[in-house]
Amino acid sequence: MSAHDHADRDHTHGGAAHGSLRGYLIGFVLSVILTAIPFWMVMTGAMDNKQAAAIIIMAFAVVQIVVHMVFFLHMTPASEGGWSMLALIFTVILVVIVLSGSLWVMYHLNANMMPGLHEMREMP
Amino acid sequence: MASSAITAGSEPVFHLEEEHAHAEGGSTMLGFWLYLMSDCLIFAMLFAAYGVLGGNYAAGPAPKDLFDLGLVAVNTTMLLLSSITYGFAMLTMDKGRVGATQAWLVVTILFGLAFLSIELYEFAHMIHEGATPQRSAFLSSFFTLVGTHGLHVTFGIVWMVTLMVQVARHGLIEANRRRLMCLSMFWHFLDVVWIGVFTFVYLMGMLR
């Protein structure tokens, strides 16, 4: 029993490893680069096409979030026996449903309500 | 069929006869991760609200009139630096160096306070210009989203001070290491949320 206890404790330590100095520095340098480029793009107006710029900025954000997850939060598919990753995947699915669902529904609601706005203005 | 399961007069047992022992705090990290995921859902709701309402200026100020990207860039740098210094605190904690851990925690707190000060300055400046949360739906959702993140940072700093007192009194014992690891996850998670904030609120707001 005590041997099992010991193995269990070792396992939890392995799952929550704190990374190395090298890992933190790589994460930091990547984050600085991934932050600086979108800020530079928007502040200098380097992109004329705003829609393309928005998509590129969002792509940088997604990559940077992954960098933080890997190098700062030390997420691996194996941490906590896979339950961390499972919880994360579940949360990401919910977040995507909430965000895309809200924007999609409310965009169409706004689009369909627009004529009403004009009628309101013409009212006495 | 059922009778075949009950053989030799003994009931079949479908559970472990005694629960195996868990190391103390062995499930804390997973539990705290689940809390962070639920916190993530709170922010998802606020982001969704901002996404829906962010364009409703009510003839008031728009992001372009209000946001100063230079200030936001400095703010982002502060939070990123505080993330890496907290990482250094964790590395020195692994080596069992109490003094160095405390020193890195102090540096982290200072960066956190710098972040909060800049954010409060920005809020004060906006409110001074009449861009209060009551002005438009855009500003209501903006202050709620960014303010909630700021509150998280505030409580993270309070937590960090508390843990510094704990470490000073009891040293880097197992329980304190666990608490510092939880706060590490919380602090890095706040930085992840901030990536979303500066991308969706500030940068995309300026593109609008």
Side-chain angles (χ1 to χ4, degrees), chain B residues 76-117:
Chain B
T76 307
T77 313
M78 291 300 142
L79 209 57
L80 199 54
L81 283 171
S82 82
S83 246
I84 183 89
T85 55
Y86 200 101
F88 292 155
M90 296 304 287
L91 291 175
T92 47
M93 183 195 85
D94 278 349
K95 291 177 185 144
R97 291 160 57 193
V98 178
T101 307
Q102 298 277 56
W104 281 120
L105 287 180
V106 169
V107 176
T108 310
I109 290 172
L110 290 178
F111 279 128
L113 286 176
F115 171 84
L116 277 182
S117 313

Short mmCIF file of all heavy atoms in Angstrom, two decimals, chain B residues 76-117:
data_model
loop_
_atom_site.label_atom_id
_atom_site.label_comp_id
_atom_site.label_asym_id
_atom_site.label_seq_id
_atom_site.Cartn_x
_atom_site.Cartn_y
_atom_site.Cartn_z
N THR B 76 0.29 45.33 -21.72
CA THR B 76 0.50 43.95 -22.11
C THR B 76 1.90 43.48 -21.71
O THR B 76 2.08 42.37 -21.20
CB THR B 76 0.31 43.80 -23.62
OG1 THR B 76 -0.95 44.36 -23.97
CG2 THR B 76 0.35 42.35 -24.05
N THR B 77 2.89 44.39 -21.91
CA THR B 77 4.26 44.05 -21.54
C THR B 77 4.36 43.78 -20.04
O THR B 77 5.01 42.82 -19.62
CB THR B 77 5.20 45.22 -21.91
OG1 THR B 77 4.90 45.62 -23.25
CG2 THR B 77 6.64 44.83 -21.79
N MET B 78 3.70 44.62 -19.23
CA MET B 78 3.74 44.44 -17.77
C MET B 78 3.22 43.06 -17.39
O MET B 78 3.82 42.35 -16.59
CB MET B 78 2.88 45.51 -17.07
CG MET B 78 3.44 46.90 -17.17
SD MET B 78 5.05 46.98 -16.40
CE MET B 78 5.88 48.08 -17.49
N LEU B 79 2.08 42.67 -17.97
CA LEU B 79 1.48 41.39 -17.60
C LEU B 79 2.35 40.23 -18.07
O LEU B 79 2.52 39.23 -17.37
CB LEU B 79 0.07 41.29 -18.19
CG LEU B 79 -0.90 40.42 -17.38
CD1 LEU B 79 -1.01 40.93 -15.96
CD2 LEU B 79 -2.25 40.37 -18.03
N LEU B 80 2.93 40.38 -19.26
CA LEU B 80 3.79 39.31 -19.80
C LEU B 80 5.04 39.16 -18.93
O LEU B 80 5.46 38.04 -18.60
CB LEU B 80 4.16 39.65 -21.24
CG LEU B 80 4.66 38.51 -22.12
CD1 LEU B 80 3.68 37.36 -22.11
CD2 LEU B 80 4.86 39.00 -23.54
N LEU B 81 5.62 40.31 -18.52
CA LEU B 81 6.80 40.26 -17.66
C LEU B 81 6.45 39.62 -16.31
O LEU B 81 7.24 38.83 -15.77
CB LEU B 81 7.36 41.67 -17.45
CG LEU B 81 8.16 42.23 -18.63
CD1 LEU B 81 8.48 43.70 -18.40
CD2 LEU B 81 9.46 41.45 -18.81
N SER B 82 5.26 39.95 -15.79
CA SER B 82 4.87 39.36 -14.50
C SER B 82 4.69 37.86 -14.64
O SER B 82 4.96 37.09 -13.71
CB SER B 82 3.60 40.00 -13.97
OG SER B 82 2.46 39.44 -14.56
N SER B 83 4.28 37.41 -15.83
CA SER B 83 4.13 35.97 -16.07
C SER B 83 5.48 35.27 -16.00
O SER B 83 5.63 34.24 -15.35
CB SER B 83 3.50 35.72 -17.44
OG SER B 83 2.23 35.14 -17.30
N ILE B 84 6.48 35.85 -16.67
CA ILE B 84 7.78 35.18 -16.71
C ILE B 84 8.45 35.25 -15.34
O ILE B 84 9.07 34.28 -14.89
CB ILE B 84 8.67 35.76 -17.83
CG1 ILE B 84 10.01 35.02 -17.94
CG2 ILE B 84 8.98 37.22 -17.64
CD1 ILE B 84 9.96 33.87 -18.84
N THR B 85 8.26 36.37 -14.59
CA THR B 85 8.88 36.43 -13.26
C THR B 85 8.21 35.43 -12.32
O THR B 85 8.88 34.87 -11.45
CB THR B 85 8.81 37.85 -12.67
OG1 THR B 85 7.47 38.28 -12.65
CG2 THR B 85 9.66 38.82 -13.47
N TYR B 86 6.90 35.20 -12.50
CA TYR B 86 6.28 34.16 -11.67
C TYR B 86 6.86 32.79 -12.03
O TYR B 86 7.08 31.95 -11.15
CB TYR B 86 4.75 34.15 -11.82
CG TYR B 86 4.10 33.44 -10.65
CD1 TYR B 86 3.53 34.14 -9.62
CD2 TYR B 86 4.11 32.05 -10.56
CE1 TYR B 86 2.99 33.51 -8.52
CE2 TYR B 86 3.58 31.40 -9.47
CZ TYR B 86 3.01 32.14 -8.45
OH TYR B 86 2.49 31.49 -7.36
N GLY B 87 7.14 32.60 -13.31
CA GLY B 87 7.80 31.35 -13.73
C GLY B 87 9.14 31.19 -13.04
O GLY B 87 9.48 30.09 -12.56
N PHE B 88 9.91 32.30 -12.93
CA PHE B 88 11.20 32.23 -12.24
C PHE B 88 11.00 31.90 -10.76
O PHE B 88 11.79 31.16 -10.18
CB PHE B 88 11.95 33.56 -12.39
CG PHE B 88 12.41 33.82 -13.80
CD1 PHE B 88 12.62 35.12 -14.26
CD2 PHE B 88 12.63 32.77 -14.68
CE1 PHE B 88 13.04 35.36 -15.56
CE2 PHE B 88 13.05 33.01 -15.98
CZ PHE B 88 13.26 34.30 -16.42
N ALA B 89 9.93 32.46 -10.17
CA ALA B 89 9.63 32.14 -8.77
C ALA B 89 9.40 30.63 -8.62
O ALA B 89 9.87 30.01 -7.65
CB ALA B 89 8.41 32.92 -8.29
N MET B 90 8.69 30.03 -9.58
CA MET B 90 8.43 28.58 -9.50
C MET B 90 9.72 27.79 -9.64
O MET B 90 9.92 26.77 -8.98
CB MET B 90 7.45 28.16 -10.60
CG MET B 90 6.08 28.76 -10.50
SD MET B 90 5.30 28.43 -8.92
CE MET B 90 4.91 26.71 -9.13
N LEU B 91 10.62 28.27 -10.52
CA LEU B 91 11.88 27.55 -10.72
C LEU B 91 12.74 27.60 -9.45
O LEU B 91 13.33 26.59 -9.05
CB LEU B 91 12.65 28.15 -11.90
CG LEU B 91 12.01 27.91 -13.28
CD1 LEU B 91 12.79 28.65 -14.36
CD2 LEU B 91 11.95 26.43 -13.60
N THR B 92 12.80 28.79 -8.81
CA THR B 92 13.59 28.88 -7.58
C THR B 92 12.90 28.09 -6.46
O THR B 92 13.58 27.55 -5.58
CB THR B 92 13.77 30.34 -7.15
OG1 THR B 92 12.51 31.00 -7.21
CG2 THR B 92 14.76 31.05 -8.04
N MET B 93 11.55 28.01 -6.49
CA MET B 93 10.84 27.20 -5.50
C MET B 93 11.24 25.74 -5.63
O MET B 93 11.45 25.05 -4.63
CB MET B 93 9.33 27.36 -5.70
CG MET B 93 8.50 26.62 -4.67
SD MET B 93 6.78 26.47 -5.17
CE MET B 93 6.85 25.00 -6.19
N ASP B 94 11.39 25.27 -6.87
CA ASP B 94 11.80 23.88 -7.09
C ASP B 94 13.15 23.59 -6.45
O ASP B 94 13.40 22.47 -5.99
CB ASP B 94 11.88 23.59 -8.59
CG ASP B 94 10.52 23.28 -9.17
OD1 ASP B 94 9.59 23.09 -8.37
OD2 ASP B 94 10.39 23.25 -10.41
N LYS B 95 14.02 24.63 -6.46
CA LYS B 95 15.35 24.43 -5.86
C LYS B 95 15.33 24.65 -4.36
O LYS B 95 16.36 24.50 -3.70
CB LYS B 95 16.34 25.39 -6.51
CG LYS B 95 16.62 25.04 -7.97
CD LYS B 95 17.55 26.06 -8.61
CE LYS B 95 17.72 25.77 -10.08
NZ LYS B 95 17.83 27.01 -10.86
N GLY B 96 14.14 25.04 -3.81
CA GLY B 96 14.02 25.20 -2.37
C GLY B 96 14.66 26.47 -1.84
O GLY B 96 15.00 26.54 -0.66
N ARG B 97 14.83 27.47 -2.70
CA ARG B 97 15.47 28.72 -2.24
C ARG B 97 14.38 29.72 -1.85
O ARG B 97 13.76 30.35 -2.71
CB ARG B 97 16.37 29.28 -3.33
CG ARG B 97 17.61 28.39 -3.56
CD ARG B 97 18.24 28.64 -4.90
NE ARG B 97 18.60 30.04 -5.09
CZ ARG B 97 18.94 30.55 -6.28
NH1 ARG B 97 18.93 29.79 -7.34
NH2 ARG B 97 19.27 31.81 -6.37
N VAL B 98 14.16 29.85 -0.54
CA VAL B 98 13.06 30.67 -0.04
C VAL B 98 13.26 32.14 -0.41
O VAL B 98 12.35 32.80 -0.92
CB VAL B 98 12.93 30.52 1.49
CG1 VAL B 98 11.82 31.42 2.02
CG2 VAL B 98 12.66 29.08 1.85
N GLY B 99 14.46 32.66 -0.16
CA GLY B 99 14.71 34.08 -0.38
C GLY B 99 14.49 34.47 -1.83
O GLY B 99 13.82 35.46 -2.14
N ALA B 100 15.05 33.67 -2.74
CA ALA B 100 14.93 33.98 -4.17
C ALA B 100 13.46 33.88 -4.61
O ALA B 100 12.98 34.71 -5.39
CB ALA B 100 15.80 33.03 -4.98
N THR B 101 12.74 32.88 -4.09
CA THR B 101 11.32 32.74 -4.43
C THR B 101 10.55 33.99 -4.01
O THR B 101 9.78 34.55 -4.79
CB THR B 101 10.73 31.50 -3.74
OG1 THR B 101 11.55 30.37 -4.04
CG2 THR B 101 9.31 31.24 -4.19
N GLN B 102 10.79 34.41 -2.76
CA GLN B 102 10.10 35.61 -2.27
C GLN B 102 10.44 36.82 -3.12
O GLN B 102 9.58 37.64 -3.45
CB GLN B 102 10.50 35.89 -0.80
CG GLN B 102 10.13 34.79 0.16
CD GLN B 102 8.69 34.88 0.62
OE1 GLN B 102 7.80 34.89 -0.19
NE2 GLN B 102 8.48 34.95 1.92
N ALA B 103 11.73 36.94 -3.50
CA ALA B 103 12.15 38.10 -4.29
C ALA B 103 11.43 38.11 -5.64
O ALA B 103 10.91 39.15 -6.07
CB ALA B 103 13.66 38.05 -4.50
N TRP B 104 11.34 36.96 -6.30
CA TRP B 104 10.64 36.92 -7.60
C TRP B 104 9.16 37.21 -7.43
O TRP B 104 8.54 37.84 -8.28
CB TRP B 104 10.84 35.56 -8.28
CG TRP B 104 12.18 35.42 -8.95
CD1 TRP B 104 13.14 34.49 -8.69
CD2 TRP B 104 12.70 36.24 -10.02
NE1 TRP B 104 14.22 34.68 -9.50
CE2 TRP B 104 13.98 35.74 -10.33
CE3 TRP B 104 12.21 37.34 -10.72
CZ2 TRP B 104 14.78 36.30 -11.32
CZ3 TRP B 104 13.00 37.91 -11.71
CH2 TRP B 104 14.27 37.39 -11.99
N LEU B 105 8.58 36.76 -6.29
CA LEU B 105 7.17 37.05 -6.05
C LEU B 105 6.97 38.57 -5.90
O LEU B 105 5.99 39.12 -6.40
CB LEU B 105 6.66 36.31 -4.80
CG LEU B 105 6.46 34.80 -4.97
CD1 LEU B 105 5.97 34.18 -3.66
CD2 LEU B 105 5.48 34.49 -6.08
N VAL B 106 7.91 39.23 -5.21
CA VAL B 106 7.81 40.69 -5.05
C VAL B 106 7.86 41.35 -6.43
O VAL B 106 7.05 42.25 -6.74
CB VAL B 106 8.95 41.22 -4.15
CG1 VAL B 106 9.00 42.74 -4.22
CG2 VAL B 106 8.75 40.77 -2.72
N VAL B 107 8.79 40.89 -7.28
CA VAL B 107 8.90 41.47 -8.63
C VAL B 107 7.58 41.25 -9.38
O VAL B 107 7.06 42.17 -10.05
CB VAL B 107 10.08 40.83 -9.39
CG1 VAL B 107 10.12 41.34 -10.82
CG2 VAL B 107 11.38 41.13 -8.68
N THR B 108 7.01 40.05 -9.25
CA THR B 108 5.74 39.76 -9.92
C THR B 108 4.64 40.69 -9.44
O THR B 108 3.86 41.22 -10.23
CB THR B 108 5.34 38.30 -9.67
OG1 THR B 108 6.44 37.46 -9.96
CG2 THR B 108 4.15 37.91 -10.53
N ILE B 109 4.59 40.90 -8.12
CA ILE B 109 3.57 41.79 -7.56
C ILE B 109 3.74 43.20 -8.11
O ILE B 109 2.76 43.87 -8.47
CB ILE B 109 3.65 41.79 -6.01
CG1 ILE B 109 3.16 40.45 -5.47
CG2 ILE B 109 2.83 42.92 -5.42
CD1 ILE B 109 3.37 40.27 -3.98
N LEU B 110 5.01 43.65 -8.21
CA LEU B 110 5.24 45.01 -8.71
C LEU B 110 4.75 45.15 -10.16
O LEU B 110 4.09 46.13 -10.51
CB LEU B 110 6.72 45.37 -8.61
CG LEU B 110 7.24 45.57 -7.18
CD1 LEU B 110 8.73 45.88 -7.19
CD2 LEU B 110 6.48 46.70 -6.49
N PHE B 111 5.04 44.15 -10.99
CA PHE B 111 4.55 44.20 -12.37
C PHE B 111 3.02 44.16 -12.40
O PHE B 111 2.39 44.86 -13.19
CB PHE B 111 5.12 43.05 -13.19
CG PHE B 111 6.52 43.31 -13.69
CD1 PHE B 111 7.53 42.40 -13.47
CD2 PHE B 111 6.83 44.46 -14.39
CE1 PHE B 111 8.82 42.62 -13.93
CE2 PHE B 111 8.11 44.70 -14.86
CZ PHE B 111 9.10 43.78 -14.63
N GLY B 112 2.44 43.33 -11.52
CA GLY B 112 0.97 43.25 -11.45
C GLY B 112 0.39 44.59 -11.06
O GLY B 112 -0.62 45.04 -11.63
N LEU B 113 1.02 45.25 -10.07
CA LEU B 113 0.52 46.56 -9.64
C LEU B 113 0.69 47.59 -10.75
O LEU B 113 -0.18 48.45 -10.94
CB LEU B 113 1.27 47.01 -8.38
CG LEU B 113 0.89 46.29 -7.09
CD1 LEU B 113 1.78 46.76 -5.94
CD2 LEU B 113 -0.57 46.53 -6.74
N ALA B 114 1.78 47.50 -11.51
CA ALA B 114 1.97 48.42 -12.63
C ALA B 114 0.85 48.23 -13.65
O ALA B 114 0.27 49.21 -14.14
CB ALA B 114 3.33 48.17 -13.28
N PHE B 115 0.53 46.97 -13.93
CA PHE B 115 -0.58 46.68 -14.86
C PHE B 115 -1.87 47.32 -14.37
O PHE B 115 -2.56 48.01 -15.12
CB PHE B 115 -0.74 45.16 -14.99
CG PHE B 115 -1.97 44.75 -15.75
CD1 PHE B 115 -1.95 44.68 -17.13
CD2 PHE B 115 -3.14 44.43 -15.08
CE1 PHE B 115 -3.09 44.31 -17.84
CE2 PHE B 115 -4.28 44.06 -15.78
CZ PHE B 115 -4.24 44.01 -17.16
N LEU B 116 -2.18 47.09 -13.08
CA LEU B 116 -3.43 47.63 -12.53
C LEU B 116 -3.44 49.15 -12.56
O LEU B 116 -4.46 49.77 -12.90
CB LEU B 116 -3.61 47.15 -11.09
CG LEU B 116 -4.21 45.76 -10.91
CD1 LEU B 116 -4.36 45.47 -9.44
CD2 LEU B 116 -5.55 45.65 -11.61
N SER B 117 -2.29 49.77 -12.22
CA SER B 117 -2.24 51.24 -12.20
C SER B 117 -2.52 51.80 -13.59
O SER B 117 -3.29 52.74 -13.74
CB SER B 117 -0.86 51.71 -11.74
OG SER B 117 -0.48 51.00 -10.60
#
